[in-house]
Structure formats: structure tokens, C-alpha cells
Amino acid sequence: MNSMHLKDILIQEKQDTVESSEALLSELHERSHDEVLMKEKMIADYQRKVNKISKEVNAEREVLQEDLYKLHAGRRVKQKKYDDVVKKVKELSRYAEELQKGAKTHEDNENGKDR
């Protein structure tokens, strides 16, 4: 009878161990699930922040690209004006040289008549 009683006690202890292990496993599973949910929420929050920053960066990039385009356009206009001025100066220089040659020829002709 005593051995039957001991077997019952051992069986009960093993069953208690199994039940407590199952309870602990269930609690760990719940904690893990909660941690996963919390980490998923953190990841989603970070993703929203990254998306917001990315949109801001892209908007700033567009503004800078537009400014750069305007600067290049302005530079092209200024370069064109500069090229036009250089062209005009060359034309005027050629014209001045022609006038000087004409004046020199006229002067030489006048000096030739005086002799």
C-alpha cells in the first residue's frame, strides 16, 4: 500500500511539474508575443519617421535642383551677354582699325598733295 501511495505522490509531483512547465511556457509565449508586437510597433514608428524624413529630403532636393537649374540658366544668360559684349568689342575694334587705316591713308594722301 505504501508503494502505491508513493507512486501516486510521484505521479502527482510529475503532473504538477508538467502543469507548472506548461504555465511557464504559456507565460513566456505571451511575453514573447507582446515583445514581438512592441518591436513591430517600434519598427513601424521608425519607418514612419524615415518616410517623413525621406519626403523632407526629397522636397529639399527638388528645391535645390530648381535653384541649381536657375543658377545655370542665369549663368547661360550672363555668358551669352558676355559673349555678345566681346563680339561687339571685337567689331568695334575692327571698325576702329579700319577708321585708323582710312585716316592714315587720308592723311598720307593729304601729305602727298601738299608736296
Side-chain angles (χ1 to χ4, degrees):
M1 203 78 166
N2 226 353
S3 78
M4 208 46 168
H5 186 61
L6 278 176
K7 279 186 181 180
D8 288 341
I9 291 174
L10 285 174
I11 289 172
Q12 186 61 45
E13 282 180 1
K14 286 184 182 182
Q15 194 169 353
D16 289 346
T17 302
V18 167
E19 287 174 3
S20 68
S21 294
E22 287 174 346
L24 184 59
L25 186 60
S26 177
E27 183 182 331
L28 288 174
H29 180 73
E30 275 186 45
R31 281 190 202 170
S32 294
H33 183 69
D34 290 346
E35 286 179 18
V36 166
L37 291 176
M38 185 172 64
K39 290 191 186 213
E40 286 175 347
K41 183 184 178 305
M42 285 174 46
I43 289 170
D45 289 344
Y46 285 131
Q47 190 62 49
R48 278 191 292 279
K49 288 177 184 176
V50 165
N51 289 343
K52 181 182 175 196
I53 291 170
S54 180
K55 285 179 185 177
E56 291 171 359
V57 166
N58 286 336
E60 186 64 27
R61 181 180 295 138
E62 287 178 22
V63 168
L64 292 173
Q65 287 284 31
E66 184 70 24
D67 289 349
L68 184 62
Y69 175 78
K70 288 176 185 176
L71 285 172
H72 283 304
R75 183 174 158 252
R76 285 190 296 272
V77 167
K78 287 178 184 175
Q79 185 66 44
K80 172 124 177 55
K81 287 180 182 178
Y82 175 79
D83 292 345
D84 291 346
V85 167
V86 167
K87 184 178 174 184
K88 196 65 154 175
V89 166
K90 286 181 181 178
E91 287 175 11
L92 291 174
S93 293
R94 272 189 243 119
Y95 182 66
E97 285 177 16
E98 289 174 16
L99 286 177
Q100 279 182 331
K101 285 180 187 176
K104 175 94 168 119
T105 304
H106 182 69
E107 188 179 306
D108 288 345
N109 287 341
E110 289 292 318
N111 286 339
K113 285 182 184 177
D114 289 344
R115 290 186 202 173

